[in-house]
Amino acid sequence: MIEYGRVAGPYGVRGWLRVVVDDPELLAAQPVWQIAGAQFKVEDAKVHSGALLAKLGGIDTPELARKYKGNAV
């Protein structure tokens, strides 16, 4: 698996993830991400303040998003 970046933590109240990555456009273009051995469909992704923000299917709360903090994407 290629490592694109790391989950920095949750963003907002709807389960978005903040991801620190060198090339946000490259990662944003991937339709499915693998984090901690699980696959997630990318519902939306956008660059904001030098990081990539992403809404992944099945992660709908900040508490769920927080579980993936520090994991490679």
Side-chain angles (χ1 to χ4, degrees):
M1 182 183 101
I2 297 172
E3 184 177 315
Y4 292 98
R6 292 222 169 253
V7 177
Y11 179 84
V13 297
R14 299 202 172 144
W16 283 66
L17 297 175
R18 179 177 161 84
V19 180
V20 178
V21 59
D22 289 333
D23 189 349
E25 287 80 20
L26 179 65
L27 182 55
Q30 303 300 315
V32 176
W33 291 4
Q34 185 168 343
I35 305 173
Q39 289 191 339
F40 299 95
K41 182 178 183 292
V42 178
E43 294 179 353
D44 196 4
K46 57 188 172 186
V47 178
H48 178 70
S49 298
L52 180 62
L53 303 179
K55 175 66 180 94
L56 306 181
I59 301 177
D60 297 320
T61 66
E63 293 78 19
L64 283 174
R66 195 170 291 112
K67 279 181 42 177
Y68 298 100
K69 182 177 179 180
N71 283 287
V73 176

